[in-house]
Amino acid sequence: MANLPAARWKTVLAEQIRNRAKWDWLILLLLALLLYLLNLGGVALRDWDESTYAIAARGMYRTGDWLHPTLLGQPYLNKPPLGLWWIASSYTLLGVNEWATRLPLAGFSALAVPLLYGVGRQLGASQERRLPALLAALVYLTLLPVTRHGRLAMLDGTMITWMLGMLFCLLQGRRRALWLVGVGPCFAAMILTKGVLALLLGGILLAFLLWDGQVKLLRHPLLWIGVALGCVPVLLWYLAQADYYGADFWQIHFLNQAFSRAWDNVDQNRGPVWYYLLELLESAWPWLLFLPGGLRLCWQQRHTSWAKLILSGTVLFLVTISLMRTKLPWYVQPLYPWLAMAIGVQLAQIWQGKVKPYPRFWLAFVLLLLLVSGVGTIAAAVTGQPILLGVGGMLSLTLAGAAWCINRQHRQFIPVLLVGMYLALGVFFLSDQWVWELNEAFAVKPVASLIQTHTPAGTIVYTSFDYDRPSLNFYSERRVLALKTGDLTRLWDGQPYLLLNQQTLQSLPSQHYTRLGNAGEFTLIQPH
């Protein structure tokens, strides 16, 4: 190559870079799909959003009404229908089960990994940006809250994919204007997935473009052609809902479910203003260790496009969700791409030898994590949980190797952490513990089978359990309502179906009932 003319040398180098980028995209996609789809149907659906979406999608699939979603016979006006359409389509092909419920959203969420790499590559010269972009994508893939949440039948992972797709089209449009047409459909898909959250994420990208001096992109006619194309399905769906439901749709969809989360505690989900900082401190290890250095580097180089994107995305989104009155753990999900980019930049600096010597507190924190992992490994061994023992052992080996490299000032601690975290997550997802919320209450499948066997379709079943469980509604295909003991006794003369724990059953004043069956701690009865 040294004997080639300068122009030819540049052409050959550019071709090599393009070929390497294609392999990067493919490898990242395969790694992401493997981790996101592994043992996806191995555990039951969890309560609240996941089971709620499954019920609504099953209703679409069975009734054929894909325009007006319902939830156990009642209008479902909480979210737009794109995610439900995907799940219902999966039911059409694969039947109604956990695998089919999670597959479309998890598979699409996995696309965020190569897209994040693509965004990083677009933010600078190819030779300079490949390493931080690659490291950012791998960090994002090996963050437990990102991958675990993306595997669930929830909408946040798909929102991130659409957001990164829109940003990729914007950045690619600086070189090839035709890409700008894709911005509108991506933004429309965000709106049809989670409604007004798209406005916040779109506003953050707009703030980045203005700060970065990319105003000319906003004036390009191809961008507005794409926006016009995207507006068509959005307007058609919202007008169809308004025509069908009238003013109730606007009240419930926008005011009660969307905007009210900013100033009210919807469903009593509250927390302090630092709620999401605690969420990061609880779950983003070990990569959180390198975030301060990455953010400091962003501030030092805030004149660059990549730093402006990270700072605008991190600050604007974190401040907005922290000020909202409603707090839920998964609201923080769109923050992780920006944090992964900041961490990727810092790791690239370390790999290139620009950070030496390594701070001693890195070693201290890794050793602390090793101690915690060792305790967890011992607990898994004592309680006889072989898969969790494997997870703990993998984590312990990874952290021990990383600690040794850091102590020796070897940059190889980066691939040790990346490979070790990926393998540990893979082993963890093979277990039945990756949806740990299922351990917070009774197993629903045996109870649901009891209800389905002994009650007619469409029956309302009343239970003494403390709260309604959407997963029980999904698996039983009945509506199961939680009531207090006094309310249950007042229903006695109506001969309802009652699902009672032993304490409530023994406290009932009348013994005139038929015992239909037992499952776990519950007995299904019908008074007579």
Side-chain angles (χ1 to χ4, degrees), residues 445-454 499 516-519 522-524:
K445 284 190 173 182
V447 179
S449 178
L450 171 69
I451 294 172
Q452 200 170 42
T453 301
H454 296 286
L499 180 69
L516 301 176
N518 297 80
F522 292 98
T523 301
L524 182 67

Side-chain angles (χ1 to χ4, degrees), residues 250-266:
W250 305 109
Q251 173 73 24
I252 297 173
H253 182 76
F254 283 106
L255 189 58
N256 294 355
Q257 291 295 334
F259 293 114
S260 63
R261 296 173 187 266
W263 62 76
D264 195 10
N265 300 314
V266 176

Side-chain angles (χ1 to χ4, degrees), residues 128-389:
E128 299 173 359
R129 298 307 306 163
R130 176 179 180 266
L131 181 60
L134 186 59
L135 289 171
L138 291 172
V139 167
Y140 182 77
L141 175 60
T142 52
L143 279 165
L144 172 62
V146 169
T147 309
R148 189 190 86 100
H149 195 81
R151 289 164 51 87
L152 296 171
M154 296 184 69
L155 306 175
D156 305 271
T158 61
M159 280 292 288
I160 295 171
T161 299
W162 287 122
M163 177 187 70
L164 292 175
M166 182 171 70
L167 179 57
F168 182 80
C169 289
L170 280 168
L171 296 174
Q172 190 80 342
R174 297 180 301 180
R175 299 177 178 86
R176 300 179 182 87
L178 190 60
W179 279 91
L180 295 174
V181 178
V183 173
C186 286
F187 187 59
M190 291 169 64
I191 295 175
L192 288 175
T193 299
K194 288 204 75 172
V196 297
L197 177 60
L199 302 179
L200 171 59
L201 299 180
I204 290 173
L205 298 187
L206 177 61
F208 158 68
L209 291 176
L210 295 175
W211 187 13
D212 199 39
Q214 301 288 341
V215 179
K216 63 180 181 179
L217 286 179
L218 302 176
R219 298 172 181 165
H220 201 288
L222 287 176
L223 174 67
W224 292 103
I225 290 174
V227 171
L229 291 173
C231 283
V232 172
V234 172
L235 289 175
L236 287 177
W237 186 78
Y238 275 99
L239 289 175
Q241 305 311 299
D243 178 66
Y244 191 79
Y245 295 111
D248 288 344
F249 172 73
W250 305 109
Q251 173 73 24
I252 297 173
H253 182 76
F254 283 106
L255 189 58
N256 294 355
Q257 291 295 334
F259 293 114
S260 63
R261 296 173 187 266
W263 62 76
D264 195 10
N265 300 314
V266 176
D267 297 328
Q268 300 302 309
N269 294 302
R270 64 185 71 186
V273 71
W274 54 85
Y275 178 91
Y276 295 109
L277 294 177
L278 294 178
E279 185 69 24
L280 293 175
L281 288 172
E282 288 176 359
S283 57
W285 300 101
W287 301 119
L288 195 62
L289 185 61
F290 309 102
L291 180 61
L295 293 177
R296 182 173 62 251
L297 191 62
C298 290
W299 181 251
Q300 292 170 353
Q301 301 188 25
R302 58 188 178 276
H303 60 282
T304 62
S305 294
W306 64 267
K308 291 174 182 177
L309 176 62
I310 294 170
L311 290 173
S312 56
T314 300
V315 174
L316 293 178
F317 188 76
L318 182 58
V319 169
T320 301
I321 61 173
S322 296
L323 293 178
M324 290 173 56
R325 294 290 299 277
T326 299
K327 299 287 197 304
L328 287 167
W330 50 88
Y331 283 7
V332 77
Q333 289 291 316
L335 185 65
Y336 285 114
W338 319 130
L339 300 186
M341 289 183 70
I343 294 167
V345 169
Q346 173 71 350
L347 293 178
Q349 294 278 306
I350 297 169
W351 187 260
Q352 293 165 352
K354 298 178 181 179
V355 179
K356 280 291 185 78
Y358 300 156
R360 299 302 297 177
F361 75 87
W362 288 3
L363 178 60
F365 268 89
V366 172
L367 290 175
L368 178 61
L369 293 174
L370 176 59
L371 176 62
V372 174
S373 175
V375 171
T377 303
I378 295 172
V382 171
T383 56
Q385 301 181 70
I387 293 186
L388 292 185
L389 177 61

Side-chain angles (χ1 to χ4, degrees), residues 26-83:
L26 179 60
I27 292 170
L28 286 171
L29 177 60
L30 293 177
L31 288 173
L33 287 174
L34 177 60
L35 201 57
Y36 273 72
L37 303 184
L38 186 66
N39 191 35
L40 201 59
V43 295
L45 301 180
R46 75 176 192 179
D47 281 319
W48 316 120
D49 291 49
E50 197 176 29
S51 294
T52 299
Y53 299 151
I55 294 171
R58 184 175 61 191
M60 284 183 174
Y61 160 63
R62 289 181 174 174
T63 64
D65 186 354
W66 292 49
L67 190 58
H68 306 106
T70 59
L71 190 67
L72 299 173
Q74 300 299 316
Y76 180 68
L77 306 179
N78 190 351
K79 294 287 191 299
L82 185 56

Side-chain angles (χ1 to χ4, degrees), residues 454 502 505 511 513-518 523-526 528:
H454 296 286
Q502 292 303 312
L505 185 63
Q511 298 298 317
Y513 59 81
T514 301
R515 188 186 296 262
L516 301 176
N518 297 80
T523 301
L524 182 67
I525 69 170
Q526 185 179 28
H528 54 74

